[in-house]
Amino acid sequence: MPETLKLQINFSGGAELLFDKIKKHNIELPSVRKYLPDSKAEKWTIRELLVWIKGNLLKERPELFLQGDSVRPGILVLINDADWELFGELEYELQQNDNIMFISTLHGG
Amino acid sequence: MPVLCKTGCGKNAVLKRPKTGDVLCKDCFFWAFETEIHYTIIKGNLFKSGDAVAVAASGGKDSTVLAHVLKTLNERYDYGLNLMLLSIDEGITGYRDDSLETVKRNRDDYEMSLKILSYKDLYGWTMDEIVEQIGRKNNCTFCGVFRRQALDRGAAMLNVKCIATGHNADDIAETVLMNILRGDIARLKRCTAISTGSEGTIPRVKPLKYTYEKEIVMYAHYKKLVYFSTECIFAPNAYRGHARALLKDLEKIRPSCIMDIIYSGETMAVKEDVSLPSQRTCSRCKFVSSQEVCKACVLLEGLNKGLPKLGIGKSSKAKRMLDEYHAKQQMSIDELNKEFQANNCIAKGKTCRSGGCKSNGLISNDCQGNKNKNEHLNEKANEMLTVYLLPDDECIVNGISPTDNDQENFEEIACEGSCGGGSISIAF
C-alpha cells in the first residue's frame, strides 16, 4: 500500500469562494498517523479529511464551511459524484483516487 | 459499497432524497423531480394552454433549474406555454453584471426571449448609487421593494399572464419562520400560497414550492446546468440568516421539517377578529399597495429629495432630516424668487431647477421646479412622514415593520444572496 493517498477535491456552488476561488484541487494525503498523531484514526475518512482541508486549503471564514466536526448544513458532499449520505457521511473511508466534491446550496438563487 | 436504486431499475443510486428518504439513480431522480413539479403545476392550476409566462431569472440555481424544467415539461406534457425570461438589473457592479451573463446563456441554451429591466431606467438610480446614499445597512429594503415592482412592470411590458419565480421549499419554510419571528400575520397568511396576486395585478406562481434546495442543486449538478453562485456584495440580512441557519440545522436532523413547516403555514388559520390591511393601488404609480402611496414611491421620493431614509429610519431622525430639508427648501425658494424677480421668467428650461431632484419622468414626474411645487412637495413629505413612520422597534432589521404590508410578499423577493434565497430568485 502506498504511503500517500491521492484525491481530487472539488468546490462549487459558491463554496470555492472560501478556497481562493479555486474549484479543483489535486491533493496527496500523508499517512493519517503522521498527520494526526493524537487521533485514534487508523485510516483517512471524510472526518479527518475535513481537518486536513481546514489546515491546508481553507483560506477564509472557516465557520462558513465547517460546523462542529462536519460541514456546515447546506453544503452537499459528493463522493465520486454520489451523495455522501449513501456512504456513511463522515465515516466514509477514503480510497485511492477518490473524487470528493463540496457544493454549497447557500449562495444566491 | 454501491447502493442500488430503490425503484429496482438495477442502477446504482446517486442520492438520498431529503423529502422522501428514497435512494435513487440519476435517471429515476430526474423523473421523480420533474414529475413532482408537473403535479404541483397541475394540482395548483398554475397555467392555461396558450399563456405567455415570464420566468423571473436571476442566473442563480433556482431560476436556472426552473427555466430548464418548465421548458422540459412544456414540451413533454404539451402545456402550450410561451415561456420567456425576465431579469432585473439592480445595477450592482461585480454581482448582477456577472449573473446577467449567465441569464444570457440561459436564453441561448433554452431558446427563450430575454427582457432585462434596470433600476437605472425604471427609477433613475442603480443600487450602487443608492448604497452610496443610504450606506450598507438598509439597502436590502430598497432592493427588495424595487425588484418586486420592477418585475411587475416587466411582466406588464411583456404582456404575460403570470410570472413564475424560483422560490423553493426551503425558501418558503424560511419565510414562514421569518413571518412568525416578526409577528407579520398578513404575510404569514399568504406566504405559502402557490399563486399570489390580487385583482388587477399579474399573478406570481411558484412551481418549485415543494422542491427541496438540495434536490435543485443536485439536479443542476447532474444536468450540468450553468448557474451563477456568488453572494450579493452588499450586507447580508442577519435576521434571515439566523432563520436559514436554524432551518438547515433542523433539516439535518429531520429533513421532513421543511415540508412540515410549509404544511403548518398552509393550514394555520388567522382568527377572524384579526384585522388585516386591505390592498389597493398606489395613488402615484398605480401599482398594488396597502397604503395611499406605495413603499417604492416613498423610498424613491426620499432618494430624490436627498432624504434616503425617509421610508426607513427612526421617526426622530426622520423628523430632524425633514426639518433640515425644509430649511434648505426655503432657501432655494427664496433664491428662486430672487431669480424670478431678476429674470421675470418662469419655466425657461425644461429641466428641474429645484435642486436635489433626479426625476426621470417615470415615477416622480411631478417635479417641475417652481416654487408652488416645492411647497406642495413639502406638504407631501410631511404627510408621508406621518403615514409611513415606522415604530422604533427591533423588527426593523430590514426596514420592515409588522404594519408595513404594502409590498405583497416583499420578503419572498428580498435578497437572493444569503440575505434571502431570493429570492427572483431573481428567484427572486
Side-chain angles (χ1 to χ4, degrees):
Chain A
M1 189 159 164
E3 264 297 287
T4 59
L5 189 60
K6 286 183 185 169
L7 303 173
Q8 191 181 99
I9 310 289
N10 290 286
F11 301 101
S12 73
E16 70 276 13
L17 299 175
L18 305 172
F19 297 87
D20 262 353
K21 297 184 183 170
I22 299 169
K23 291 194 167 192
K24 194 191 279 185
H25 302 252
N26 287 304
I27 65 163
E28 263 182 59
L29 299 177
S31 102
V32 74
R33 281 197 206 152
K34 252 189 227 165
Y35 187 72
L36 297 168
D38 301 336
S39 139
K40 286 177 203 148
E42 297 279 324
K43 288 176 173 167
W44 282 102
T45 66
I46 300 277
R47 189 191 309 278
E48 287 79 37
L49 175 65
L50 291 176
V51 178
W52 188 90
I53 286 176
K54 186 181 180 188
N56 293 274
L57 294 181
L58 192 53
K59 299 293 182 195
E60 53 179 298
R61 295 176 289 171
E63 70 281 4
L64 296 187
F65 187 69
L66 299 167
Q67 185 172 316
D69 64 351
S70 190
V71 290
R72 185 178 168 214
I75 293 177
L76 307 179
V77 185
L78 274 67
I79 300 169
N80 298 321
D81 216 29
D83 192 352
W84 74 330
E85 292 185 42
L86 300 171
F87 303 105
E89 305 188 11
L90 289 173
E91 312 304 329
Y92 173 77
E93 198 180 295
L94 292 162
Q95 307 295 313
Q96 199 65 248
N97 298 318
D98 269 352
N99 183 324
I100 311 295
M101 179 171 231
F102 299 89
I103 311 178
S104 174
T105 66
L106 304 168
H107 290 76
Chain B
M1 192 67 63
V3 184
L4 286 177
C5 176
K6 195 204 169 199
T7 61
C9 70
K11 281 180 264 183
N12 287 340
V14 294
L15 89 164
K16 185 174 176 185
R17 298 192 66 197
K19 194 157 140 184
T20 58
D22 292 343
V23 297
L24 297 178
C25 72
K26 246 182 230 184
D27 289 329
C28 292
F29 165 61
F30 291 156
W31 183 85
F33 182 89
E34 290 159 1
T35 307
E36 278 182 12
I37 297 169
H38 170 62
Y39 284 136
T40 306
I41 289 169
I42 297 303
K43 209 179 159 212
N45 238 334
L46 302 191
F47 309 119
K48 283 195 194 72
S49 183
D51 281 357
V53 176
V55 179
S58 65
K61 58 183 171 13
D62 300 302
S63 58
T64 298
V65 167
L66 179 65
H68 177 89
V69 171
L70 283 183
K71 181 182 165 65
T72 305
L73 296 177
N74 193 29
E75 286 163 9
R76 183 180 301 161
Y77 297 100
D78 206 9
Y79 290 164
L81 302 179
N82 176 15
L83 297 166
M84 47 194 98
L85 300 167
L86 171 59
S87 288
I88 307 301
D89 180 2
E90 297 92 342
I92 304 174
T93 309
Y95 174 67
R96 187 55 77 206
D97 44 356
D98 290 346
S99 69
L100 285 174
E101 289 308 309
T102 314
V103 179
K104 286 175 190 163
R105 193 158 162 194
N106 290 346
R107 172 196 62 195
D108 300 338
D109 291 349
Y110 307 146
E111 298 167 318
M112 295 180 192
S113 65
L114 165 65
K115 172 95 185 160
I116 300 175
L117 284 180
S118 74
Y119 281 8
K120 185 72 180 174
D121 289 343
L122 288 172
Y123 306 110
W125 294 78
T126 65
M127 271 313 290
D128 287 341
E129 289 165 351
I130 291 173
V131 170
E132 224 169 84
Q133 294 287 317
I134 188 91
R136 292 199 170 201
K137 212 175 162 194
N138 292 302
N139 54 69
C140 290
T141 303
F142 283 87
C143 201
V145 169
F146 284 173
R147 189 184 305 111
R148 171 169 177 81
Q149 204 191 61
L151 276 177
D152 282 336
R153 286 166 181 268
M157 283 180 200
L158 291 171
N159 200 19
V160 294
K161 271 278 155 53
C162 68
I163 307 171
T165 64
H167 293 105
N168 60 43
D170 298 54
D171 294 333
I172 305 215
E174 185 183 298
T175 304
V176 171
L177 280 182
M178 286 293 289
N179 288 331
I180 289 172
L181 293 172
R182 285 190 177 131
D184 190 338
I185 299 306
R187 285 207 185 90
L188 181 60
K189 197 179 165 192
R190 62 185 181 229
C191 71
T192 53
I194 189 153
S195 171
T196 52
S198 49
E199 245 177 277
T201 63
I202 296 168
R204 293 176 180 230
V205 299
K206 305 176 192 127
L208 303 183
K209 179 186 169 188
Y210 298 114
T211 309
Y212 275 55
E213 196 157 59
K214 172 181 170 181
E215 297 194 9
I216 288 173
V217 171
M218 293 296 255
Y219 185 86
H221 172 68
Y222 289 133
K223 286 277 184 185
K224 299 189 168 53
L225 304 184
V226 175
Y227 66 90
F228 177 81
S229 49
T230 249
E231 222 57 75
C232 174
I233 55 166
F234 297 130
N237 174 340
Y239 206 56
R240 186 175 271 278
H242 284 302
R244 167 146 293 218
L246 171 65
L247 194 69
K248 288 285 163 196
D249 287 346
L250 292 172
E251 183 191 2
K252 188 75 202 148
I253 303 164
R254 190 166 156 276
S256 68
C257 77
I258 288 178
M259 291 301 275
D260 295 338
I261 292 170
I262 297 175
Y263 177 74
S264 300
E266 283 172 340
T267 46
M268 216 181 292
V270 176
K271 278 188 196 166
E272 275 179 27
D273 57 352
V274 175
S275 68
L276 297 170
S278 59
Q279 291 203 330
R280 45 179 158 165
T281 52
C282 169
S283 62
R284 302 190 73 186
C285 69
K286 309 297 175 210
F287 277 91
V288 66
S289 170
S290 65
Q291 309 281 349
E292 170 72 19
V293 180
C294 77
K295 187 85 172 169
C297 285
V298 177
L299 291 174
L300 193 63
E301 183 84 17
L303 280 175
N304 289 337
K305 279 199 151 91
L307 298 173
K309 293 190 175 152
L310 192 61
I312 296 178
K314 292 184 175 182
S315 54
S316 51
K317 220 180 192 175
K319 269 186 190 128
R320 202 178 63 229
M321 287 191 316
L322 208 72
D323 287 344
E324 284 167 13
Y325 179 74
H326 282 166
K328 256 195 210 154
Q329 283 292 91
Q330 195 51 53
M331 273 170 63
S332 78
I333 290 167
D334 293 344
E335 264 171 43
L336 270 169
N337 279 337
K338 271 185 215 156
E339 200 182 326
F340 175 72
Q341 282 159 6
N343 296 337
N344 196 18
C345 165
I346 315 172
K348 227 180 192 174
K350 281 180 184 167
T351 47
C352 169
R353 305 174 73 172
S354 66
C357 175
K358 293 199 178 181
S359 162
N360 65 355
L362 270 165
I363 290 192
S364 26
N365 49 4
D366 55 356
C367 182
Q368 311 196 344
N370 65 37
K371 69 169 192 171
N372 290 336
K373 211 65 186 184
N374 278 339
E375 281 161 5
H376 173 65
L377 283 176
N378 281 347
E379 276 168 31
K380 199 142 199 174
N382 267 332
E383 199 181 290
M384 280 195 299
L385 201 65
T386 23
V387 177
Y388 293 102
L389 279 184
L390 304 177
D392 299 349
D393 61 25
E394 266 300 296
C395 334
I396 320 189
V397 174
N398 200 18
I400 303 152
S401 82
T403 49
D404 159 30
N405 290 305
D406 48 339
Q407 291 294 322
E408 187 195 19
N409 292 328
F410 156 59
E411 255 314 307
E412 290 165 47
I413 51 152
C415 209
E416 300 86 283
S418 57
C419 351
S423 319
I424 175 189
S425 250
I426 229 186
F428 296 9

